[in-house]
Amino acid sequence: MCGIIGVVGADDALELLLGGLERLEYRGYDSAGIAIQCADGALWRCRAADGTRSVAALQERCGVAPEGATTGIGHTRWATHGAPVEGNAHPQVDCAGAIAVIHNGIIENHVALAARLRAAGHTFTSGTDTEVLAHLIEEHRDRGLDLADSVTAALREVTGAFSIGVLDASTPGQIVAARRVSPLIVGRADGETYLASDIPAILERTRDLVAVEDDQVAILTAEGLVLRDLDGALVEPTVLSVDWDVETAVLGGHPDFMTKEIYEQPEAIRATLAARRSEDGRVVLDELHLTDDELASVDRVVLVGCGSSYHAALLGKHAIERWSRLRCEVDIASEFRYRGPVLDERTLVVGVSQSGETIDTLQALREARRLGAKVVAVCNVVDASMAREADAVLYTRAGPEISVASTKTVPAQVVALELLALRLAQVRSTMDDAAVAEAFAALAMLPELVAKALKGAEHVRDIAASLHGSRDYFFIGRHVGYPVALEGALKLKELSYLHAEGYPGGELKHGPIALIEPGTVVVAIVMGDELREKLLSNVAEVTSRGASVIIVHSEDDEEAASFGDWSISIPAASEFASPVLSIVPLQLLAYHLAKLRGLNVDRPRNLAKTVTVE
Ligand code: AGP
């Protein structure tokens, strides 16, 4: 997820761009850049890559604008393709440096397009997917099309997601923007026109805003905005009415980052899946950098992680064993290296970590490498320590996760591990192409199913209100429901400070059921698998001892709902998708109970977003 901004007709264009990038930093910050159109039309570009302070570094480096600069574009990056270095910072330019492009999204067919453009003589200078756009537009400009038609023609060749802004040295006083999937807002004021990824970046300048819709091209000049579709036909703008203050706008209208990130889960999954399947059906994990032979030589997989990442690993284990038929163990990272793990060069050790900096997981991977295993990092931050030290990396693309409690990165991690499982299955021929295609199609449905689960969980706030005052919670599940129970309990503990335990449903009778009494709350995650009846028996056991029960169940299993005092339905889905869907209402339950207790959901006590102490 990146942030883009642009302006036409403003005497303070540079200040507006730099200030807007500050508001967009939460969308990504590993590098930043601007391009300004000088009075003579030439483009002046300035970029910086300085970890979490790239925008500040840009402000220090590019503080004085060229004479007469009133038009420009800016970008703050969350790297997905290409390391977070200055050369990969946006704007990216064409061969002549006369066309500058800023981009949020993923150009899925960038490899094929770049190959064609190189063969036609174009020279590339970055490792980004975005640079392809600059050269495509250049190609059409060279054919004599104007900027808007060149951008339109280029976008008709592109698959993937984008919101872009384009400057052209030979088209003064104009920015051409466009959008597909990734958000794009355009604003108008007297003699000035703006573009941004979202409202906060330009809200201080105008409330006269429109949303650019999918496959629309926006032509911005100081006089105004013209909106066209990819066929060149004029379209009516979608007017936005905004009564937010700027602070609320940074949160996209949500009350806090946790809510925002819970509702970003569909996009986090969609981005993690993007460009990961080739035209001929192969799973494409291009940053994995392990050859088919290296993957085929693997005879065992060990997953290590902490907290929510450990829970995601438990779900990934199921897919790896089921699809690749490889033995797969899962360790809590802080325990892993003390058990004297038996590893060798045929063991694949995968560290799962949102931050890529958790020292327990980092140390586990270092030990795995010392013992000769192949090491892969699954993380959400490009070039994090784990990514740099591992033999290979598989990035989730959930965008920055600001709230301390992990939400959107958990389904992204599960999906990344399922993609790894499919890749292993392909090189080991344990799944044929049809089976891989079927599994991939089911994964592609997940964003829509998560959005439906979010919609179906709107009454969780009322359940939380009914439970306000309860002090003891058990979350129970069986098989793939058990990691869900663990994650639900962790969310409740870290957000509401209430005691909660996640347990395999079959374990209660081995002791913990002694704790069940009137007032105890039990949350049962009922999957539609062969363990359904056994889990419902566990529910009956706790109900008979006075527990209050919440049933999380598939929408096609209304009978299960009757076993509880409250029920939450999730969309019917496979055993590989249902766990991710089941986590959604548990995130919201923890959130609402914490809010009812007046707690800070983004910054819970005693916690840190990244734990860098052992
Ligand atoms: C989860 O909500 C917590 N924030 C915590 O358990 C977290 O998952 C754990 O510290 C691991 O962090 P990582 O994914 O960055 O390695």
Side-chain angles (χ1 to χ4, degrees):
M1 183 162 77
C2 303
I4 71 170
I5 188 169
V7 59
V8 183
D11 294 337
D12 62 342
L14 179 61
E15 293 76 10
L16 183 143
L17 294 175
L18 294 173
L21 287 177
E22 271 184 43
R23 289 203 183 287
L24 289 167
E25 264 187 311
Y26 76 91
R27 300 177 65 86
Y29 41 66
D30 52 44
S31 59
I34 55 167
I36 295 268
Q37 199 160 49
C38 304
D40 63 2
L43 298 188
W44 175 76
R45 187 170 57 149
C46 183
R47 300 181 290 173
D50 190 359
T52 56
R53 57 177 308 279
S54 297
V55 172
L58 192 69
Q59 288 166 339
E60 291 154 14
R61 187 177 300 184
C62 317
V64 179
E67 192 56 39
T70 61
T71 297
I73 53 178
H75 182 275
T76 182
R77 186 169 183 241
W78 186 265
T80 56
H81 288 74
V85 297
E86 190 174 323
N88 288 335
H90 299 204
Q92 287 295 316
V93 297
D94 67 333
C95 302
I99 293 171
V101 179
I102 52 174
H103 169 224
N104 173 31
I106 294 175
I107 305 300
E108 296 186 356
N109 58 339
H110 70 94
V111 173
L113 289 171
R116 176 174 71 71
L117 289 160
R118 283 195 180 90
H122 289 260
T123 51
F124 283 73
T125 59
S126 82
T128 68
D129 55 324
T130 302
E131 190 182 351
V132 157
L133 291 174
H135 294 284
L136 276 178
I137 295 164
E138 176 189 17
E139 197 173 53
H140 292 293
R141 288 290 282 128
D142 291 349
R143 289 195 301 120
L145 297 184
D146 69 17
L147 180 58
D149 290 346
S150 299
V151 171
T152 303
L155 294 178
R156 291 164 73 98
E157 299 182 62
V158 153
T159 58
F162 53 78
S163 63
I164 63 171
V166 185
L167 271 186
D168 174 6
S170 54
T171 311
Q174 187 180 104
I175 298 175
V176 176
R179 177 258 171 106
R180 182 184 294 157
V181 177
S182 303
L184 180 62
I185 304 291
V186 170
R188 283 283 300 128
D190 181 20
E192 299 180 0
T193 306
Y194 321 95
L195 69 91
S197 292
D198 62 17
I199 292 167
I202 53 177
L203 190 60
E204 284 178 331
R205 294 295 272 246
T206 180
R207 288 178 183 270
D208 176 1
L209 301 165
V210 301
V212 178
E213 306 294 359
D214 279 358
D215 286 346
Q216 288 185 352
V217 175
I219 304 164
L220 284 68
T221 60
E223 293 70 41
L225 161 71
V226 173
L227 219 44
R228 304 187 326 195
D229 64 22
L230 289 186
D231 294 325
L234 292 178
V235 292
E236 271 307 303
T238 309
V239 178
L240 296 176
S241 62
V242 175
D243 56 5
W244 296 335
D245 59 32
V246 174
E247 281 60 46
T248 307
V250 168
L251 293 165
H254 294 290
D256 42 58
F257 278 110
M258 179 154 192
T259 309
K260 182 173 180 294
E261 288 155 9
I262 285 175
Y263 283 86
E264 283 177 343
Q265 291 183 102
E267 179 50 34
I269 296 166
R270 193 176 289 115
T272 300
L273 282 170
R276 279 181 159 162
R277 188 156 179 264
S278 65
E279 307 271 315
D280 60 3
R282 278 181 310 104
V283 176
V284 176
L285 305 178
D286 45 11
E287 74 268 43
L288 193 58
H289 299 316
L290 287 175
T291 65
D292 286 1
D293 289 345
E294 286 173 317
L295 286 174
S297 72
V298 168
D299 68 358
R300 185 159 62 97
V301 178
V302 179
L303 307 178
V304 294
C306 302
S308 294
S309 296
Y310 169 68
H311 303 152
L314 288 171
L315 290 171
K317 163 193 167 76
H318 177 59
I320 289 169
E321 291 192 333
R322 181 63 66 85
W323 287 339
S324 75
R325 308 309 299 155
L326 280 166
R327 287 171 295 150
C328 181
E329 301 156 40
V330 185
D331 279 81
I332 288 176
S334 55
E335 292 292 310
F336 172 72
R337 68 188 201 276
Y338 301 109
R339 70 172 172 86
V342 178
L343 309 176
D344 62 27
E345 72 286 348
R346 298 190 64 192
T347 311
L348 185 69
V349 176
V350 182
V352 183
S353 173
Q354 185 281 130
S355 61
E357 301 294 347
T358 298
I359 193 66
D360 289 324
T361 311
L362 192 55
Q363 294 288 40
L365 295 186
R366 287 168 178 165
E367 177 67 359
R369 289 202 77 176
R370 189 185 68 80
L371 295 173
K374 291 182 187 61
V375 170
V376 171
V378 170
C379 67
N380 195 47
V381 180
V382 175
D383 274 9
S385 300
M386 276 178 224
R388 292 197 308 275
E389 294 187 21
D391 296 311
V393 64
L394 181 50
Y395 286 119
T396 51
R397 300 178 189 142
E401 188 172 66
I402 309 298
S403 186
V404 167
S406 297
T407 49
K408 64 177 180 174
T409 51
V410 176
Q413 289 171 335
V414 175
V415 163
L417 291 168
E418 289 178 343
L419 287 169
L420 177 62
L422 288 175
R423 187 83 194 92
L424 288 166
Q426 283 185 321
V427 297
R428 296 168 47 82
S429 304
T430 50
M431 287 173 82
D432 62 25
D433 291 351
V436 170
E438 187 183 344
F440 213 97
L443 283 177
M445 286 293 295
L446 205 43
E448 189 183 318
L449 292 173
V450 168
K452 194 176 169 189
L454 284 165
K455 192 137 186 60
E458 285 168 357
H459 67 300
V460 169
R461 181 205 308 256
D462 302 333
I463 296 176
S466 312
L467 294 173
H468 189 37
S470 301
R471 299 288 307 174
D472 287 305
Y473 289 76
F474 275 91
F475 291 73
I476 62 172
R478 285 180 175 247
H479 188 221
V480 291
Y482 170 45
V484 175
L486 291 173
E487 178 60 11
L490 175 61
K491 283 289 144 320
L492 190 65
K493 283 182 275 197
E494 65 177 331
L495 287 168
S496 68
Y497 315 155
L498 291 168
H499 186 256
E501 297 197 46
Y503 254 90
E507 269 298 285
L508 284 183
K509 55 187 178 293
H510 298 289
I513 201 165
L515 289 172
I516 305 296
E517 59 187 24
T520 307
V521 177
V522 175
V523 182
I525 296 94
V526 182
M527 296 288 167
D529 56 19
E530 69 273 14
L531 292 162
R532 174 183 177 279
E533 278 64 34
K534 283 187 166 59
L535 188 66
L536 291 176
S537 300
N538 301 145
V539 170
E541 288 157 12
V542 298
T543 305
S544 62
R545 289 164 173 82
S548 305
V549 176
I550 302 172
I551 301 279
V552 178
H553 64 91
S554 172
E555 63 190 354
D556 57 5
D557 185 3
E558 280 305 325
E559 186 205 8
S562 64
F563 279 71
D565 301 284
W566 303 273
S567 66
I568 305 166
S569 75
I570 59 169
S574 74
E575 65 196 272
F576 301 99
S578 297
V580 168
L581 304 179
S582 306
I583 290 173
V584 166
L586 306 187
Q587 294 167 340
L588 291 168
L589 179 65
Y591 172 84
H592 287 302
L593 282 169
K595 293 296 281 184
L596 285 167
R597 292 166 58 82
L599 301 174
N600 181 335
V601 290
D602 283 339
R603 298 267 182 279
R605 69 184 182 193
N606 307 342
L607 299 181
K609 184 58 184 170
T610 304
V611 181
T612 54
V613 292
E614 287 195 81

